[in-house]
Amino acid sequence: MASMLLSRQLTCCLQQNSRLLVSGHRYISQAAAKIDVDFDYDGPLMKTEVPGPRSRELMKQLNGIQNAEAVHFFCNYEESRGNYLVDVDGNRMLDLYSQISSIPIGYSHPSLIKLLQQPQNLSTFINRPALGILPPENFAERLKESLLSVAPKGLPQVITMSCGSCSNENAFKAIFMWYRNKERGHNNVTKEELESCMINQPPGCPDYAMLSFMGGFHGRTLGCLATTHSKAIHKLDIPSLDWPIAPFPRLKYPLEDFVKENQQEEARCLEEVEDLIVKYRKKKKIVAGIIIEPIQSEGGDNHASDDFFRKLRDIARKHGCAFLVDEVQTGGGCTGKFWAHEHWGLDDPADVVTFSKKMMTGGFFHKEEFRPNAPYRIFNTWLGDPSKNLMLAEVIKVIKREDLLNNATHAGKALLTGLLDLQARYPHLISRVRGRGTFCSFDTPNDATRNKLITIARNKGVVLGGCGDRSIRFRPTLIFKDHHAHLFLNIFSDILANFK
């Protein structure tokens, strides 16, 4: 299949969608430039309901081995291409969820297939090293070509990991070690510290905390769960830590109609952040760091103004807390900038930035001062995977060559404009339309309506995702273009018109 994808020629171009915008019911699709129809299909094609009979059989098989209740359907990745996901029953769907926001340049991208076919790259994929002790000869070079080529401003150091949770978990550790080293005056560790840490007691295990926000999601490992507050099912039955939780602004929409109210809401939340830092210090628990997402994703696509983040950054600096920006879901270009926090316009936006998903690998960037002062302090067997760095370097080349950051801005505007139009026509079904780049979402009246809309859309050939209590989120790939937005909007307009 891979060689077929590469050898087929550009044989067709998308025909201009002739449907016109009539009474607000149809969206004009600009003709796409010539595209490789072997890479991106020209539309959905449905053969069964989803999940279909083959998916249901496979669900039954998998459920006998593990709890498979979260599975939506089984996929045929050999046939999936571009923005389209094909399932095992032959249904072809426009994917606006892209594996929970983790596919950067579409399925089976020719550039990545070519990369895997090159003989000199085989060893990178076959021989996975324990990077902390036995890295390959070209590892530093690969990091420079990939991650360091897009490093956030002021963060020259990077450590790779395998997923978002372990990225945040180890970032917490780096922050705690940094803070303790400051308190210690950069002196040597004492015998008491070495002995007490072995039995989970201070001073070796200091009573530090990370401040997080209601609605935030930072992972499912133990430390990350203490900062995750999006859904109860994530946290139920798991022991946790007494770490402060601040309110995240709940903005009112449309933003231009609620400027004063939203400013007051953000001021209230910032005041609470400072109060919590002081309160915890009084009870001998130090807030060593603050963690926040540029857009709370799992918690409901909750936004705050750039000014809110600027002021939060100032609070962190004022109180000597590290400022950790979790870009696991927002990073990689979907907001129109490579890192969503770049929208804030700060010279010093973060001390640590975590990443995963569209970045192909997990890990975190950090300032020099957060560098571990001894080996094995930030460590595990894999510490990421060199093959992912190789693929990321190619992804970055494609992003630059095809100007995909500007594409995210342009396609996102088409999507958001269409959603606002649908909100005006179906206010009983859609509210609080919001977004940055293609990172868009809206609210539905309740969870049942949201889930029903997602199911209907899937059976019409569109994959969407939910978040929060009643939101629908859009997480398309970076190659999602205007005509894909118009295609979706036409389908979804019909769904809303006939929704009962």
Side-chain angles (χ1 to χ4, degrees):
M1 181 65 185
S3 60
M4 290 172 62
L5 285 172
L6 285 172
S7 63
R8 291 173 180 171
Q9 299 178 344
L10 296 174
T11 58
C12 183
C13 65
L14 269 182
Q15 295 180 346
Q16 183 170 359
N17 190 329
S18 60
R19 294 178 293 183
L20 300 179
L21 184 62
V22 180
S23 301
H25 286 83
R26 280 287 178 261
Y27 297 83
I28 299 173
S29 179
Q30 298 177 358
K34 284 190 175 181
I35 64 165
D36 188 343
V37 294
D38 293 325
F39 174 50
D40 199 28
Y41 294 105
D42 59 1
L45 178 65
M46 304 304 292
K47 298 180 178 180
T48 73
E49 65 177 356
V50 183
R54 178 61 177 155
S55 269
R56 292 196 296 270
E57 175 57 32
L58 291 171
M59 286 177 180
K60 183 178 179 181
Q61 291 179 25
L62 183 60
N63 206 47
I65 300 169
Q66 59 182 237
N67 187 317
E69 294 175 35
V71 173
H72 297 170
F73 54 87
F74 281 75
C75 303
N76 180 344
Y77 291 107
E78 284 287 311
E79 294 297 327
S80 300
R81 301 202 294 269
N83 290 283
Y84 290 87
L85 179 60
V86 178
D87 75 358
V88 292
D89 290 283
N91 297 300
R92 186 171 75 211
M93 293 162 275
L94 178 63
D95 189 359
L96 303 189
Y97 197 36
S98 66
Q99 309 290 323
I100 320 178
S101 194
S102 66
I103 302 292
I105 55 173
Y107 295 100
S108 303
H109 196 285
S111 293
L112 294 180
I113 292 173
K114 185 177 181 180
L115 188 77
L116 269 66
Q117 290 178 327
Q118 295 172 1
Q120 68 269 28
N121 294 329
L122 287 178
S123 176
T124 303
F125 289 93
I126 294 171
N127 302 306
R128 185 178 184 183
L131 284 169
I133 57 171
L134 297 168
E137 180 182 9
N138 61 3
F139 186 52
E141 179 186 351
R142 292 293 189 214
L143 287 175
K144 291 176 183 177
E145 292 173 350
S146 58
L147 289 164
L148 291 174
S149 74
V150 292
K153 185 176 181 179
L155 305 184
Q157 299 278 297
V158 67
I159 299 175
T160 51
M161 293 287 163
S162 294
C163 70
S165 292
C166 57
S167 301
N168 281 323
E169 195 83 25
N170 282 282
F172 294 172
K173 289 170 59 180
I175 287 170
F176 293 146
M177 290 187 290
W178 162 80
Y179 200 96
R180 183 65 183 125
N181 201 31
K182 284 199 307 176
E183 282 193 328
R184 197 182 283 125
H186 304 279
N187 295 319
N188 291 332
V189 176
T190 66
K191 182 172 184 276
E192 183 185 11
E193 287 176 304
L194 291 172
E195 291 176 348
S196 59
C197 75
M198 297 302 291
I199 54 172
N200 304 337
Q201 296 297 315
C205 291
D207 203 2
Y208 294 159
M210 292 293 299
L211 184 145
S212 55
F213 290 82
M214 283 302 298
F217 180 91
H218 303 289
R220 291 179 169 87
T221 51
L222 275 173
C224 291
L225 268 182
T227 62
T228 288
H229 318 287
S230 50
K231 291 184 177 70
I233 195 65
H234 298 155
K235 298 170 68 72
L236 184 66
D237 299 331
I238 312 300
S240 197
L241 301 160
D242 178 22
W243 288 359
I245 308 164
F248 190 85
R250 178 70 174 176
L251 301 185
K252 295 182 177 181
Y253 291 83
L255 295 176
E256 59 271 19
D257 291 349
F258 296 98
V259 173
K260 183 178 180 180
E261 292 88 341
N262 288 337
Q263 287 175 343
Q264 291 173 341
E265 169 68 357
E266 291 188 342
R268 177 187 70 86
C269 294
L270 291 167
E271 183 179 359
E272 183 67 16
V273 168
E274 287 215 72
D275 288 348
L276 283 167
I277 293 171
V278 173
K279 175 183 175 183
Y280 270 71
R281 187 177 294 138
K282 286 180 178 177
K283 61 181 190 176
K284 308 300 182 184
K285 188 182 287 285
I286 301 297
V287 176
I290 297 172
I291 183 170
I292 196 162
E293 301 160 89
I295 302 169
Q296 285 190 335
S297 304
E298 300 297 326
D301 265 31
N302 304 315
H303 292 245
S305 71
D306 295 340
D307 186 61
F308 171 83
F309 291 104
R310 288 192 286 264
K311 289 175 178 175
L312 182 65
R313 208 303 169 230
D314 290 341
I315 289 171
R317 189 182 295 108
K318 173 183 173 182
H319 291 276
C321 308
F323 193 53
L324 193 172
V325 180
D326 179 347
E327 291 257 23
V328 168
Q329 191 157 157
T330 54
C334 49
T335 67
K337 293 186 180 293
F338 205 92
W339 303 106
H341 72 261
E342 292 179 295
H343 290 284
W344 304 343
L346 285 173
D347 292 330
D348 181 26
D351 296 307
V352 183
V353 172
T354 53
F355 58 85
S356 189
K357 291 188 181 287
K358 280 186 171 66
M359 299 301 291
M360 313 295 284
T361 181
F364 59 98
F365 297 99
H366 60 88
K367 292 180 176 176
E368 292 270 3
E369 62 205 81
F370 290 82
R371 182 186 176 108
N373 60 2
Y376 299 104
R377 302 206 74 188
I378 301 291
F379 193 87
N380 57 51
T381 299
W382 300 128
L383 283 174
D385 183 341
S387 69
K388 302 303 182 185
N389 299 332
L390 181 64
M391 294 175 71
L392 175 61
E394 189 62 31
V395 166
I396 292 169
K397 289 178 185 177
V398 172
I399 290 172
K400 292 178 178 178
R401 183 174 68 241
E402 300 184 10
D403 198 19
L404 295 184
L405 297 185
N406 280 332
N407 178 70
T409 299
H410 200 271
K413 183 177 180 181
L415 177 60
L416 192 66
T417 299
L419 290 173
L420 288 168
D421 175 64
L422 292 176
Q423 176 179 260
R425 291 192 283 122
Y426 303 102
H428 60 295
L429 294 174
I430 293 181
S431 63
R432 302 183 74 243
V433 168
R434 54 205 183 272
R436 196 160 224 171
T438 57
F439 207 94
C440 297
S441 59
F442 63 83
D443 284 3
T444 62
N446 50 57
D447 177 57
T449 300
R450 184 260 307 276
N451 294 343
K452 186 175 180 180
L453 284 170
I454 290 175
T455 299
I456 294 172
R458 192 167 62 198
N459 285 319
K460 295 289 186 181
V462 176
V463 180
L464 299 171
C467 62
D469 296 329
R470 53 195 179 99
S471 299
I472 288 179
R473 57 176 156 170
F474 297 83
R475 299 292 185 270
T477 71
L478 297 177
I479 61 167
F480 175 84
K481 299 183 182 297
D482 284 23
H483 64 273
H484 297 112
H486 297 145
L487 176 61
F488 158 73
L489 291 165
N490 285 331
I491 293 171
F492 204 61
S493 177
D494 290 342
I495 291 171
L496 295 173
N498 296 304
F499 188 81
K500 296 178 182 179

